[in-house]
Amino acid sequence: MSEPVTLWVIINGIDMEHEAWLLIRLFFKDDSFRFYPGNGYISGQVLYLEVKDEDVRRYRAEYYSCLEGSNVPEIIASGKAKPDFSVSRTISSDEPERPGGTILKSHKILAGALIYEILSGVTGKRLPYGSLTGVRPVKLAISCIRDGLDKNGVINALAYATGMSREKAELLYDVAEAELPYIEHDPDSVHIYVGIPFCTSRCLYCSFASYSADRYRTLIPEYIEALGKEIRFTGEMVESGNLSVRSVYIGGGTPTALDSHSLDHVLCLLNRNIDISNAEFTVEAGRPDTIDEEKLRVLKSNNVTRISINPQTMNEETLKIIGRNHTPDDIRQKFFLAREMGFGNINMDIIAGLPYENGEMFMNTLEKIEEMAPESLTVHTMAVKRASRLHGDIDGYRLTEDSIVEAMTGAARRSAERMGMRPYYLYRQKNILANLENIGYSKPGFECIYNINTMEESQTIIALGAGAISKFVSRDGKKIERACNVREVAQYIERIDEMIERKKAFISL
């Protein structure tokens, strides 16, 4: 049974119900607030937002602890009811044209900031990113830098426009500064993603397209055969379009869940059909229980330049809870085996806020990572994803408190600094604990080009395999299209019309 409505939301002058819903749900339960339908009797708390786009743009948000009637908007407009909280903002016509003014051109960003300020005042809850609910907040910092602002100017602009903390605004600046050398628009450069949807087991938090390698082993040869056709087709597109490949990323699932022969076959297909001689080449060797000397030799012989060995935690009891079939010792052994075999660019992933982990356990993970000294460290904040086992049994686990998760991410940042790393890419997810972020840290010169371009969407990414989504950036760099299958890919690549017949033949397979 749903809870009674405790907050009514009335929005005038702007269409942003979805964005407002994403923000309000961080303060109120999903079923305890509702948008005013335009008529009818309502009673309870009211959040009122109004945007007027005139010579001077005006934003106003008000909160009423109790209003009732069938004409509440008229009551508010008449001034007969006095709000408990009220905030407003006026933007002159020239402000968006000043340095740093690009983010002021967005009605939704500024209106969202007022909603955040009201709800924070009502509930006493502060969010590290203020009103921002999107995946890619670094884009705002990049726009400010390109507007000509220095670091302090960027921090001030972000905090003013969104209500985020100055600490997070500084973090976004630092990430943007690291990313900028890698994201200049180049219509003739592409990145390639290859999905291998098999793994040894499904982790508690996983929402990716991933299936048991043991259970579906008989289907793997057919999958690789189909993938090989995609690889060959993509190679033809790249060659015909005179495109250069900047990076290749093989993820999943866990690519090294394939046997060494199958893994070698996929890598050979890529090397044979696509010129990746000058590309960054990453393979997720994420699960230590899928790595052995033979597979590492296969990776090395096929020009792989970067691998990930992902512990997620170095605490054995947590590994069992999340469904991992390896121990902390396995992680160390496989890491140093890769080192001995000449891998000089290794990433490791960890998760802050895993069920039942406390600060001391997380510090143990960080200490063990520091002993191994990888070139990069990706720190994910725990997120409850809809397609995960955790989401289906959320009441059966104890999630980490927000304050502890924040302390964990702070400790991870300091650990990365001790290893000589800096933050180089960042993204956020829905239902992420403490409303925080996922951050990639790396030593200078070891930034993952693929990761950066996935987040900033400045160059085309052609994705192959099950569950993979391509992103195409127009030649002027202003439009991004997403495609989930080969048919859409073929329709988008307009430069190779002479391949229409081969496209049709491939799509029919």
Side-chain angles (χ1 to χ4, degrees):
M1 184 176 179
S2 63
E3 295 185 7
V5 176
T6 57
L7 177 71
W8 289 94
V9 183
I10 303 173
I11 299 178
N12 282 329
I14 185 172
D15 180 14
M16 60 173 293
E17 275 198 12
H18 177 67
E19 293 81 3
W21 176 80
L22 289 173
L23 179 56
I24 296 168
R25 68 190 296 270
L26 300 176
F27 295 90
F28 288 81
K29 293 182 178 179
D30 289 3
D31 54 1
S32 67
F33 67 91
R34 189 176 303 169
F35 290 91
Y36 181 62
N39 55 59
Y41 180 89
I42 64 174
S43 175
Q45 302 173 66
V46 174
L47 171 64
Y48 178 79
L49 172 69
E50 182 179 74
V51 176
K52 291 185 177 180
D53 191 0
E54 302 165 340
D55 291 338
V56 174
R57 286 190 283 153
R58 303 182 190 278
Y59 303 83
R60 177 168 64 105
E62 297 173 344
Y63 167 79
Y64 300 84
S65 58
C66 187
L67 282 179
E68 60 179 314
S70 56
N71 60 340
V72 167
E74 288 81 1
I75 294 173
I76 293 174
S78 69
K80 294 178 181 178
K82 299 299 180 184
D84 297 78
F85 293 93
S86 178
V87 293
S88 61
R89 185 171 293 183
T90 300
I91 303 294
S92 63
S93 58
D94 65 326
E95 281 186 79
E97 306 308 319
R98 299 174 190 169
T102 300
I103 58 176
L104 298 181
K105 295 178 181 179
S106 170
H107 283 305
K108 292 180 179 180
I109 287 178
L110 295 172
L114 266 64
I115 293 175
Y116 169 69
E117 192 172 340
I118 286 284
L119 296 182
S120 184
V122 170
T123 64
K125 183 177 182 179
R126 302 294 296 179
L127 302 176
Y129 283 93
S131 63
L132 294 185
T133 58
V135 172
R136 299 174 174 84
V138 178
K139 286 188 173 185
L140 297 180
I142 289 174
S143 73
C144 289
I145 293 173
R146 286 175 170 166
D147 275 357
L149 293 183
D150 60 12
K151 183 172 185 175
N152 194 54
V154 172
I155 293 171
N156 290 336
L158 293 177
Y160 171 75
T162 69
M164 73 171 65
S165 71
R166 293 185 66 82
E167 179 187 10
K168 293 303 179 187
E170 182 176 7
L171 172 62
L172 294 184
Y173 174 87
D174 290 343
V175 173
E177 188 179 45
E179 286 186 347
L180 279 170
Y182 299 101
I183 60 171
E184 289 303 317
H185 177 61
D186 180 358
D188 296 316
S189 291
V190 298
H191 305 261
I192 293 175
Y193 175 84
V194 180
I196 304 294
F198 301 102
C199 204
T200 53
S201 64
R202 190 172 184 84
C203 292
L204 179 68
Y205 47 78
C206 179
S207 64
F208 295 115
S210 182
Y211 305 91
S212 168
D214 287 334
R215 182 176 179 183
Y216 295 101
R217 189 160 301 280
T218 57
L219 298 179
I220 290 177
E222 293 180 46
Y223 179 81
I224 293 176
E225 182 181 357
L227 182 61
K229 294 173 183 176
E230 281 198 87
I231 291 171
R232 286 189 289 272
F233 182 64
T234 300
E236 291 174 351
M237 289 198 295
V238 168
E239 183 178 1
S240 297
N242 294 315
L243 303 174
S244 62
V245 177
R246 291 194 67 199
S247 73
V248 178
Y249 194 105
I250 305 184
T254 302
T256 46
L258 298 178
D259 62 78
S260 56
H261 173 75
S262 298
L263 180 63
D264 184 56
H265 185 43
V266 172
L267 298 178
C268 285
L269 282 168
L270 283 164
N271 278 281
R272 193 160 53 240
N273 289 278
I274 305 172
D275 181 5
I276 55 177
S277 56
N278 296 312
E280 169 192 271
F281 193 174
T282 299
V283 173
E284 287 275 1
R287 301 286 289 262
D289 51 323
T290 68
I291 305 170
D292 57 31
E293 185 173 345
E294 184 178 4
K295 289 181 186 177
L296 288 172
R297 190 176 297 110
V298 165
L299 297 177
K300 196 70 178 172
S301 65
N302 280 285
N303 304 315
V304 172
T305 62
R306 180 178 182 273
I307 63 172
S308 283
I309 298 175
N310 302 332
Q312 313 303 5
T313 177
M314 294 296 287
N315 298 291
E316 189 161 1
E317 56 267 48
T318 310
L319 289 171
K320 292 177 180 177
I321 289 171
I322 65 177
R324 289 246 165 173
N325 302 323
H326 60 80
T327 67
D329 281 341
D330 293 332
I331 296 165
R332 284 189 288 268
Q333 290 172 12
K334 299 303 171 63
F335 180 90
F336 289 116
L337 175 62
R339 275 283 192 255
E340 291 170 8
M341 296 184 66
F343 287 92
N345 189 353
I346 303 177
N347 173 74
M348 304 190 87
D349 283 12
I350 60 174
I351 300 177
L354 286 168
Y356 304 106
E357 282 216 342
N358 56 32
E360 183 179 351
M361 296 170 74
F362 190 72
M363 286 302 300
N364 175 64
T365 294
L366 293 175
E367 290 167 4
K368 297 298 189 294
I369 296 291
E370 287 186 43
E371 291 172 4
M372 288 181 278
E375 282 64 45
S376 58
L377 173 69
T378 306
V379 182
H380 297 272
T381 301
M382 185 69 190
V384 182
K385 301 173 185 178
R386 186 177 61 182
S388 66
R389 290 193 292 118
L390 176 61
H391 184 273
D393 188 23
I394 190 65
D395 294 332
Y397 295 89
R398 187 182 75 241
L399 298 180
T400 310
E401 294 178 10
D402 286 358
S403 60
I404 296 176
V405 177
E406 286 193 68
M408 288 175 170
T409 58
R413 181 177 63 252
R414 292 187 291 274
S415 176
E417 289 171 353
R418 287 193 294 271
M419 290 188 286
M421 299 179 186
R422 63 174 181 169
Y424 78 93
Y425 93 110
L426 178 154
Y427 68 102
R428 303 176 68 224
Q429 292 174 287
K430 196 166 139 182
N431 298 328
I432 198 167
L433 296 188
N435 200 40
L436 288 169
E437 71 284 299
N438 303 317
I439 308 179
Y441 296 94
S442 80
K443 296 176 180 178
F446 290 91
E447 297 84 359
C448 178
I449 298 171
Y450 175 83
N451 284 341
I452 291 173
N453 281 276
T454 297
M455 288 302 108
E456 302 315 321
E457 301 179 309
S458 58
Q459 296 178 358
T460 290
I461 297 174
I462 302 174
L464 316 177
I469 299 176
S470 296
K471 298 178 185 178
F472 294 100
V473 181
S474 62
R475 292 197 67 80
D476 61 7
K478 294 180 179 179
K479 186 178 180 182
I480 298 168
E481 300 283 352
R482 289 169 174 80
C484 298
N485 56 51
V486 176
R487 182 187 299 274
E488 293 171 308
V489 172
Q491 290 171 344
Y492 193 87
I493 304 293
E494 298 175 351
R495 282 183 274 176
I496 47 175
D497 292 338
E498 69 274 10
M499 292 176 60
I500 289 293
E501 293 307 316
R502 275 179 285 175
K503 291 177 190 175
K504 291 179 180 177
F506 179 81
I507 290 165
S508 68
L509 294 175

